[in-house]
Amino acid sequence: MNHTIQCLLAERALLPQGWRHNVLLQWDTSGLLTGVTPDSKPGSDIPSAAGPVLPGMPNLHSHAFQRAMAGLTEYLGNPQDSFWSWRELMYRFAAQLTPETLQAVATQLYIEMAKAGYTSVCEFHYIHHAAQGQYYANPAELSGRLIAAAQTAGIGLTLLPVLYQHSGFGGRPPLPEQARFISSTDWMLNLLAHLRRDHPQHAGLRFGVAPHSLRAVAPATLDIVRQQLHAADPSAPIHIHIAEQQKEVSDCLAQTGARPVRWLLDNQPVDERWCLVHATHMQAGETLDLARSGAIAGICPTTEANLGDGIFDGVNYLAAGGRWGIGSDSHISVCAREELRLFEYSQRLRDQRRNALASTATPAVADRLYLDAVAGGAQASARPIAGLAHGQRADFLVLDAQHPNLLQRQDDQLLAGLVFCQHGETPIRDVYAGGKCIIADRQHAAQDTALADYGKALKQLLA
Ligand code: NGQ
Ligand code: ZN
């Protein structure tokens, strides 16, 4: 008989308030948790989890197509190789995409995400048009491919269509290689209306908007999209790239007299609905004020390291109560554990100390990192995925109790075994999203088809 289980008993589970024992998880057919009850008694009709249970991790920043070029730009192509020369290669790659290859790459990626502990993704999606910028008959041609990929993988999706209009501060005209990204404000608002009409939103699907950056969207346009978005959907999320590179900071200063994060905080009503992606280069006052705003800092440690961005000041931002989450961005790595580890390690390397992001309230640094990133990722996703609590989505991971890195560990040592130790296969054994088991014993039902399609897509893209 093929029936879906609606409950699971976990000997240990990480709730928002910390580890609890004999936790009975119950969920309804819409995939939302209806009960999270510690100290429950095992019953013969209640299935037991094969190991410790964690909330699924939201991935708050992804450009899915970049998965297919991961590891293909690691050579000195230019004596001054930088973020900006990487971007030229990325643009050349983006020019090759078709609707079919985008869907194949995204499906492979989202299955990889699920295996790596991400039960949900925010897709910062900016390729909307055909190769020379011609509009597709269906404005949601490419957006629809990402929605389909997330459905195949079974992960939750917050789709953020990107508004992109200029090549630099001061309204500079776009470059020819940016043609596929460029849309009028009306086109974007129409796309959003289209998406909302054809794909009703639910706990596993949400729409927001992403002005690409202060480089790509002028101040007056930022006001219009924000107002229109919130007129239609008052709690919809807004994501923006900001202050990732020094050149962006100096260009912004030259144009506006303010640094990017300062400019945004002073000129937009930045609040809980905002996610500032990267925010790498901030002065102390910007760090404090961003923390006070309630917005999320979207930190993407492996991509920021790969692109030579700089080090986010996690120590002061977290000390000020700043909210944050993690994203795999360019997908040079797709592994929630590695993002958390590198975030902590970047602080250790800079400050020559240990356990830099732990607090006296949560001395186990991996627990602090994991719980903060779930809460912040949920806020940025604007969906109920903030961990194992009543009313949240049943997005969770079952660890392998027999994995060597988890053996004989006390509650407060367990996550460190997951985040800081890197030996052998992943300890993540089963993954549930919206109450459905999408990874069983480290396998996804669609993985073979997805890999075959990905291989075909690569052959075409790299030809
Ligand atoms: C992007 N990626 O949109 O894919 C950007 C590069 C830009 C990152 N910032 C392009 N990591 O910022 O102009
Ligand atoms: Zn990005």
Side-chain angles (χ1 to χ4, degrees):
M1 203 173 70
N2 188 11
H3 75 206
T4 318
I5 58 159
Q6 300 282 316
C7 62
L8 194 70
L9 185 70
E11 208 179 286
R12 296 201 257 187
L14 184 67
L15 309 192
Q17 57 276 22
W19 286 99
R20 294 293 182 273
H21 293 182
N22 298 316
V23 179
L24 179 64
L25 300 173
Q26 294 167 289
W27 58 92
D28 63 18
T29 48
S30 69
L32 297 180
L33 289 164
T34 53
V36 178
T37 319
D39 305 315
S40 293
K41 298 226 175 348
S44 54
D45 51 340
I46 304 174
S48 295
V53 171
L54 298 180
M57 182 62 71
N59 185 341
L60 61 60
H61 193 65
S62 164
H63 307 290
F65 76 92
Q66 292 176 16
R67 167 65 185 95
M69 57 176 283
L72 290 175
T73 61
E74 308 304 313
Y75 58 92
L76 191 65
N78 171 331
Q80 290 300 311
D81 237 328
S82 69
F83 173 92
W84 304 103
S85 53
W86 167 83
R87 195 176 78 155
E88 287 170 18
L89 299 178
M90 185 271 279
Y91 283 173
R92 258 188 256 161
F93 189 78
Q96 305 303 318
L97 283 166
T98 61
E100 294 73 24
T101 52
L102 175 64
Q103 185 170 347
V105 172
T107 303
Q108 168 71 14
L109 171 69
Y110 293 165
I111 290 174
E112 291 169 342
M113 283 187 192
K115 291 186 178 185
Y118 293 119
T119 41
S120 193
V121 65
C122 297
E123 184 63 37
F124 197 106
H125 166 53
Y126 58 88
I127 304 184
H128 297 297
H129 316 301
Q132 267 76 49
Q134 319 91 299
Y135 288 180
Y136 291 109
N138 171 7
E141 175 65 54
L142 294 176
S143 295
R145 302 295 177 146
L146 296 166
I147 296 172
Q151 262 162 7
T152 304
I155 66 173
L157 173 67
T158 295
L159 182 64
L160 305 154
V162 172
L163 188 62
Y164 204 118
Q165 298 181 331
H166 304 289
S167 65
F169 288 95
R172 292 165 70 119
L175 304 169
E177 53 271 35
Q178 295 168 334
R180 301 193 76 173
F181 323 152
I182 306 300
S183 311
S184 69
T185 309
D186 284 346
W187 184 92
M188 177 57 52
L189 296 171
N190 175 52
L191 170 65
L192 282 165
H194 213 90
L195 288 169
R196 286 193 207 102
R197 187 196 67 205
D198 293 349
H199 304 274
Q201 303 186 74
H202 56 89
L205 181 65
R206 185 89 207 256
F207 301 114
V209 88
H212 180 275
S213 53
L214 295 178
R215 288 175 267 135
V217 178
T221 312
L222 206 47
D223 286 331
I224 296 169
V225 269
R226 191 198 73 244
Q227 285 159 1
Q228 294 292 321
L229 175 73
H230 287 151
D233 183 353
S235 62
I238 305 188
H239 290 214
I240 186 167
H241 287 132
I242 200 150
E244 181 180 11
Q245 283 278 320
Q246 297 282 10
K247 181 179 177 338
E248 178 182 336
V249 177
S250 49
D251 287 356
C252 186
L253 258 173
Q255 182 67 35
T256 70
R259 300 165 60 85
V261 173
R262 174 59 58 207
W263 187 91
L264 195 76
L265 291 170
D266 287 352
N267 290 281
Q268 289 292 316
V270 174
D271 61 15
E272 287 80 1
R273 296 172 291 188
W274 287 72
C275 176
L276 279 66
V277 181
H278 307 302
T280 314
H281 298 288
M282 294 192 286
Q283 289 180 336
E286 294 175 286
T287 303
L288 282 182
D289 290 343
L290 178 59
R292 288 190 190 118
S293 73
I296 299 297
I299 303 169
C300 307
T302 61
T303 294
E304 289 157 9
N306 184 267
L307 298 181
D309 289 341
I311 301 176
F312 181 89
D313 183 2
V315 170
N316 287 310
Y317 184 70
L318 269 63
R323 303 179 195 181
W324 60 279
I326 50 167
S328 61
D329 189 351
S330 70
H331 315 301
I332 187 64
S333 166
V334 177
C335 177
R337 306 152 59 205
E338 191 183 1
E339 299 301 341
L340 297 176
R341 187 189 318 140
L342 186 56
F343 183 30
E344 165 69 21
Y345 279 177
S346 65
Q347 313 294 303
R348 294 189 190 188
L349 287 162
R350 184 195 56 209
D351 299 346
Q352 301 178 43
R353 54 182 277 208
R354 302 191 72 249
N355 297 308
L357 299 175
S359 63
T360 40
T362 314
V365 68
D367 293 32
R368 172 99 195 273
L369 292 168
Y370 202 95
L371 286 171
D372 267 21
V374 169
Q379 184 180 314
S381 304
R383 289 184 288 106
I385 51 172
L388 300 173
H390 186 270
Q392 301 297 305
R393 207 165 180 247
D395 285 4
F396 58 88
L397 320 178
V398 181
L399 303 182
D400 178 355
Q402 302 310 318
H403 192 284
N405 292 347
L406 305 184
L407 290 174
Q408 298 300 325
R409 283 177 180 257
Q410 309 289 323
D411 292 349
D412 62 358
Q413 300 170 327
L414 214 119
L415 269 175
L418 183 78
V419 172
F420 290 100
C421 302
Q422 185 74 52
H423 312 85
E425 64 184 349
T426 176
I428 301 169
R429 190 177 180 279
D430 306 319
V431 177
Y432 288 71
K436 291 202 182 72
C437 182
I438 58 171
I439 302 293
D441 206 3
R442 301 185 175 84
Q443 311 297 314
H444 190 286
Q447 66 188 24
D448 295 344
T449 322
L451 181 60
D453 291 348
Y454 180 63
K456 281 185 224 149
L458 275 186
K459 196 170 170 197
Q460 194 178 319
L461 290 168
L462 302 177

